[in-house]
Amino acid sequence: VVIDPVMSEDGALLGYAKIIRDVSERYAVDKALYESEQRFRLLVQGVRDYAIYMLDPQGNVTNWNSGAQAIKGYKAGEIVGRHFSVFYTPEDRAKGMPARALETAIREGKFEGEALRVRKNGERFWASVVIDPIHNDQGKLLGFAKVTRDVTEKRKARDEIDRTREALMQAQRMEGIGRLAGGVAHDFNNLLTVI
C-alpha cells in the first residue's frame, strides 16, 4: 500500500491517493526461497563427517559448517575471514600448494587430492579435499566450494594392509627359499648316501 497526500496549488490538503498492489505472488516466492535457503543451510550445517565451506576468490573463508568445526577445530568466528592456507602444513605453504589448488580448480573445473592438513591444535591429519570454483551466470568467479573429509583412519587401515601384504610376500619368499634349500639339502643328502 502506498498513500500520498493530494494538495491543491495553494497547499491545502484535498485528500489522499492510495495505490494498492497485490504482492501475494511475490510474497509466496520470497517465502519459498527463504524456506529453501533454510533447508539448504540445515542440510549443510547438519553434515558432521565433512567440512563444507566457501572461499572468496582470494581463498578467504566466507562460511563454515559444523563438520568443518568438528574436523578442523575452529569455530566459525575464529576462521571466517582468514585464508584457507592455515589448514596446510608449513611445508606445503612454502611450496605454494594453496594457490596451486585454487589455480587448478579454476583451470580444470575442480581440484581433488589427498594430503596432510593441520587442525587448530596443530595436530596433522590426512584429508581428502575437493575444491570447486563457483561462477555466476556471466562466468565471473564468485569463489570456491571446499569439501574436506578426515581420512586418517582409512589411511592408517590402508597402510596396515600394505604392511601386512608386504609381510606376507616376505614370508612367501622365505618359504620359497626354504623349499629350495630343503630340496638342495635332500639332493645333497642323496649324493652323500651314494658316496
Side-chain angles (χ1 to χ4, degrees):
V1 175
V2 176
I3 301 174
D4 287 317
V6 177
M7 309 295 273
S8 67
E9 288 184 19
D10 64 353
L13 179 64
L14 298 175
Y16 297 93
K18 182 176 180 182
I19 300 172
I20 299 175
R21 273 191 221 129
D22 183 358
V23 292
S24 301
E25 198 171 304
R26 190 179 85 201
Y27 177 76
V29 168
D30 289 348
K31 183 177 179 189
L33 178 62
Y34 175 77
E35 289 172 355
S36 174
E37 288 173 350
Q38 289 300 105
R39 283 191 302 275
F40 180 74
R41 184 173 286 119
L42 288 172
L43 168 71
V44 171
Q45 286 301 324
V47 174
R48 303 244 333 132
D49 291 345
Y50 292 85
I52 302 172
Y53 53 98
M54 300 287 294
L55 305 173
D56 67 15
Q58 291 74 42
N60 299 306
V61 177
T62 60
N63 65 13
W64 196 245
N65 81 330
S66 60
Q69 181 174 335
I71 291 172
K72 309 244 185 196
Y74 293 91
K75 293 180 180 174
E78 297 173 308
I79 198 66
V80 170
R82 293 178 63 188
H83 197 268
F84 83 110
S85 62
V86 300
F87 310 128
Y88 282 71
T89 63
E91 303 84 36
D92 284 349
R93 280 196 305 264
K95 294 177 192 171
M97 296 301 289
R100 271 196 250 155
L102 297 182
E103 290 165 6
T104 301
I106 292 169
R107 185 178 61 253
E108 297 178 15
K110 176 191 280 192
F111 170 82
E112 200 165 359
E114 197 171 287
L116 281 174
R117 294 293 184 261
V118 181
R119 299 186 207 282
K120 178 184 173 186
N121 65 7
E123 176 189 355
R124 291 179 180 216
F125 69 100
W126 281 98
S128 173
V129 177
V130 177
I131 302 173
D132 287 306
I134 305 297
H135 296 91
N136 67 11
D137 293 338
Q138 292 75 37
K140 179 183 176 194
L141 179 67
L142 300 176
F144 301 89
K146 189 162 185 309
V147 178
T148 302
R149 184 163 193 204
D150 183 344
V151 293
T152 304
E153 293 305 316
K154 182 179 170 183
R155 182 80 179 222
K156 285 179 183 176
R158 188 171 56 209
D159 290 347
E160 186 61 34
I161 288 170
D162 290 345
R163 279 192 295 278
T164 303
R165 188 176 292 130
E166 183 59 36
L168 176 62
M169 287 173 35
Q170 182 67 22
Q172 288 171 338
R173 282 192 289 262
M174 293 305 290
E175 180 184 4
I177 290 170
R179 282 186 186 161
L180 178 62
V184 169
H186 180 71
D187 290 345
F188 185 69
N189 192 32
N190 287 343
L191 287 173
L192 287 178
T193 302
V194 171
I195 292 173

